[in-house]
Amino acid sequence: MNKKFYITTPIYYINDVPHVGHAYTTIAADVLSRYYQSKGEDVFFLTGVDEHGAKIAEAAKKAGLEPKAFADSLVPRFQEAWKNLNINYSEFFRTTNPIHEKIVQDLILELKDKGFVEKKKYSGLYCTACEKFLQPDELVDGCCPDHGTKPEEHSEENYFFLLSKFGDKLSRAIEAGDYEILPESRKNEVLGKIKNGLEDVSISREKVEWGIPFPSDENQTIYVWIDALINYWSATKIYQTNNEKLITNSNSETADNSSLFAVNLDVWPPNIHLMAKDILWFHAIIWPAMLMALDLPLPKKVFAHGFFTVGGQKMSKTRGNVLDPNALVEKFGADAVRYALLREFPFGEDGDISEEKIAARYQSELSNGLGNLLQRTLSMINKYEIDLSSRTCFGIPEEKRDSGSESGMTENNDKISKLIEELKFDQALQEIASGITKLNQYIEENKPWELAKTDQAKLAEVLSHVHAGLVDIAPQIAPFMPETADKMKKQLETLVPSPLFPRI
Ligand code: MSP
């Protein structure tokens, strides 16, 4: 059986249409997913939406709709955006899925049975935009540091998960590497917070109606974050059940179901949870503690990337600088948006993006860099009537070729793979970009247009070398720019050039 690779994005709040921040994480997950798939692993790539809680209920009310109808109206907007960006997810999860609702209730009961749930009175400052209680020392001028709004005083009787019991166990697990928190600086931050002491967390809400009913207490609703985190677990159960059914059915109908059996059905635990730093706390502390309480295996890796600003400012509706991923795709194409977002700054750090920055990358590295290299190489091969069939690289089908053997890129391939596995996407792309620059320079240095007059053998050698280099670049860029990689492969085979990145 193939190795399995289970990767998740956060499930995004469905209070509005998706923006480029959501796209950023989802693109990164898609790149990893395509990369591991190309290595022959069975990838389960989960994304979806977070539909319950006060935040969604408020947005629905504003829109004059019932929460479920409101969420239904927005789901296609997310799916459309992901389709436009060529996101190849395995499962689009909705927390209103009744099977999920039942699983969440069952797990809460199990936590209760195991003695990890208690009912207590609680008062605190609640930020609905964050869907969490804030500590007084977190506030900036009395407001939420992320949303700039005043939190509300909430005083209610809730059920609590006894998180305070898990501090030592969590620290030990993190230090032993049972689950990794990355980047390293985030891990230290989390360990520091645990050291300062963990408080129990409320897992129910008294006055929020839009949510999963708390089992055996009609007056309470399950806290949206607990509901949301459990999506990672219930999605695997739902997937497993659906596929077992598929296998049973196909078993009785046809004999040929071998491909289905090759698929891993038991995908738990996740190999990596991806998110930004804003919600690391939930993923690196609360979620692993819940899993420990339930005796379930922990995720292997939790990676928190940075937050970006747009044109130097925090993205917000009031500033009017929210970037719509669909509009970006319309303008630059999916591949260029995927490339530019991950190329701009290190994945684990904060950074800045803007339409101008995407345009600049498009122009310099994609249009003038890769696009031009392919175009001029194919044109010269045609013009000088170079016969590539006699060259070793092209007599042998791609899958039988030693990757990189022809252009000396084997070492380069290993480096790029390692960078992708470490989520250093900007560096992996830098590496690819410099490979492209080198080939363009190689052409400049060897001047095929002059060789055409003096040395036919050398001319054929030079152009074959560049062609081989491009053959190697196609799979390198494939996880980042799948469409471009396909176009390249086709053009390199047919030798019919057509612009990869036309001028805008
Ligand atoms: N619903 C919760 C997540 C539950 S997961 C069990 C939630 N949703 S959210 O819609 O607010 O999404 C937050 C996530 O969106 C971030 O963690 C990040 O993945 C992405 N981003 C939103 N804005 C972003 C930026 N400005 N920059 C980078 N990532 C951004 O929290």
Side-chain angles (χ1 to χ4, degrees):
M1 196 184 297
N2 296 335
K3 234 169 121 181
K4 68 97 194 164
F5 188 81
Y6 176 21
I7 178 164
T8 70
T9 73
I11 44 172
Y12 306 110
Y13 286 128
I14 198 153
N15 59 315
D16 207 341
V17 295
H19 58 62
V20 73
H22 306 130
Y24 185 62
T25 320
T26 313
I27 291 169
D30 189 63
V31 168
L32 285 172
S33 158
R34 286 176 189 269
Y35 168 79
Y36 282 101
Q37 235 160 20
S38 76
K39 284 185 43 174
E41 301 193 10
D42 283 341
V43 174
F44 185 61
F45 167 14
L46 181 70
T47 189
V49 287
D50 196 349
E51 302 181 86
H52 292 129
K55 182 180 175 115
I56 313 301
E58 273 177 21
K61 201 170 166 198
K62 264 194 202 150
L65 289 170
E66 285 301 313
K68 177 63 167 54
F70 176 68
D72 286 346
S73 75
L74 282 169
V75 162
R77 305 294 295 276
F78 276 83
Q79 291 173 330
E80 218 173 82
W82 300 160
K83 188 162 179 248
N84 289 341
L85 279 162
N86 230 327
I87 305 293
N88 202 7
Y89 53 76
S90 321
E91 212 55 64
F92 186 91
F93 198 83
R94 298 188 57 173
T95 51
T96 47
N97 181 328
I99 306 175
H100 165 74
E101 297 184 334
K102 171 81 170 58
I103 291 175
V104 172
Q105 289 178 322
D106 287 350
L107 289 189
I108 297 279
L109 280 178
E110 200 177 326
L111 285 175
K112 226 172 148 193
D113 286 349
K114 289 187 160 158
F116 293 118
V117 174
E118 261 175 31
K119 202 171 184 184
K120 311 192 238 188
K121 182 115 188 133
Y122 188 77
S123 346
L125 297 165
Y126 198 82
C127 171
T128 305
C130 293
E131 286 284 18
K132 68 174 183 188
F133 282 103
L134 299 173
Q135 296 306 316
D137 63 356
E138 287 179 89
L139 305 182
V140 176
D141 297 330
C143 292
C144 164
D146 284 342
H147 297 98
T149 45
K150 250 194 161 50
E152 284 169 42
E153 179 85 38
H154 279 210
S155 182
E156 43 181 67
E157 193 160 37
N158 294 157
Y159 290 93
F160 277 75
F161 168 56
L162 303 185
L163 182 66
S164 56
K165 287 188 188 276
F166 288 86
D168 286 345
K169 233 180 145 185
L170 285 167
S171 300
R172 261 183 274 127
I174 297 168
E175 268 152 8
D178 294 346
Y179 70 103
E180 264 184 288
I181 300 173
L182 288 165
E184 187 79 11
S185 57
R186 299 275 168 223
K187 167 177 147 182
N188 298 332
E189 220 174 271
V190 168
L191 282 170
K193 278 195 183 173
I194 298 176
K195 226 183 229 149
N196 288 341
L198 295 179
E199 286 185 28
D200 296 338
V201 285
S202 158
I203 56 166
S204 73
R205 302 298 315 279
E206 205 178 8
K207 293 172 189 118
V208 176
E209 278 172 30
W210 176 233
I212 305 176
F214 200 88
S216 69
D217 191 335
E218 283 174 5
N219 297 323
Q220 302 263 343
T221 300
I222 294 168
Y223 174 41
V224 60
W225 259 105
I226 300 302
D227 164 1
L229 288 166
I230 293 174
N231 98 86
Y232 301 133
W233 167 258
S234 34
T236 68
K237 295 290 121 191
I238 294 168
Y239 166 79
Q240 204 171 346
T241 317
N242 289 345
N243 282 289
E244 271 161 4
K245 265 191 227 144
L246 251 178
I247 289 174
T248 323
N249 290 342
S250 61
N251 239 340
S252 52
E253 282 155 25
T254 75
D256 184 24
N257 48 29
S258 47
S259 62
L260 276 172
F261 282 115
V263 172
N264 277 297
L265 288 184
D266 190 8
V267 289
W268 193 263
N271 293 70
I272 181 160
H273 284 313
L274 267 193
M275 78 221 64
K277 60 182 186 179
D278 55 337
I279 54 176
L280 178 63
W281 177 253
F282 292 97
H283 287 82
I285 302 279
I286 299 179
W287 180 227
M290 281 169 64
L291 291 169
M292 282 173 173
L294 293 162
D295 291 316
L296 291 174
L298 303 180
K300 298 203 167 99
K301 213 180 258 184
V302 174
F303 192 104
H305 65 72
F307 235 65
F308 56 71
T309 47
V310 172
Q313 295 207 300
K314 204 174 152 170
M315 208 170 20
S316 82
K317 263 193 172 170
T318 36
R319 282 198 190 91
N321 65 346
V322 179
L323 284 181
D324 168 11
N326 300 309
L328 293 175
V329 170
E330 182 88 14
K331 189 152 188 188
F332 301 104
D335 279 3
V337 175
R338 295 166 62 106
Y339 179 94
L341 290 182
L342 293 180
R343 173 82 175 92
E344 204 54 38
F345 54 90
F347 192 56
E349 290 169 27
D350 291 344
D352 186 63
I353 58 154
S354 64
E355 207 176 300
E356 292 72 32
K357 285 184 177 168
I358 299 174
R361 288 281 173 204
Y362 184 97
Q363 183 73 13
S364 64
E365 287 172 11
L366 297 180
S367 190
N368 295 344
L370 180 60
N372 184 37
L373 175 65
L374 180 68
Q375 192 85 11
R376 73 202 288 215
T377 305
L378 296 184
S379 305
M380 286 192 283
I381 289 173
N382 289 325
K383 182 170 171 198
Y384 303 130
E385 296 175 354
I386 306 295
D387 179 14
L388 293 169
S389 62
S390 63
R391 308 268 145 194
T392 50
C393 176
F394 310 104
I396 310 168
E398 196 189 340
E399 58 280 11
K400 294 210 175 129
R401 238 181 277 145
D402 249 3
S403 90
S405 56
E406 194 80 4
S407 65
M409 279 200 178
T410 315
E411 209 179 295
N412 196 242
N413 282 341
D414 293 346
K415 201 166 168 187
I416 293 166
S417 295
K418 188 162 176 281
L419 289 168
I420 295 178
E421 284 169 24
E422 291 170 350
L423 289 85
K424 294 180 177 158
F425 303 119
D426 62 319
Q427 289 183 42
L429 290 173
Q430 164 70 53
E431 202 58 46
I432 296 170
S434 76
I436 293 165
T437 307
K438 271 188 206 143
L439 284 175
N440 266 323
Q441 277 167 356
Y442 176 84
I443 295 180
E444 293 307 317
E445 281 156 18
N446 287 282
K447 303 190 177 49
W449 47 92
E450 281 179 14
L451 291 175
K453 294 178 216 145
T454 56
D455 190 341
Q456 283 302 316
K458 177 90 179 156
L459 171 67
E461 188 191 309
V462 166
L463 289 176
S464 305
H465 175 81
V466 182
H467 185 280
L470 281 159
V471 169
D472 289 330
I473 287 170
Q476 291 176 351
I477 63 159
F480 299 97
M481 300 195 285
E483 264 178 66
T484 305
D486 284 346
K487 279 190 204 157
M488 276 179 76
K489 281 181 204 156
K490 194 159 165 237
Q491 292 189 33
L492 288 161
E493 260 167 46
T494 59
L495 303 180
V496 180
S498 119
L500 292 177
F501 301 99
R503 293 206 182 273
I504 295 171

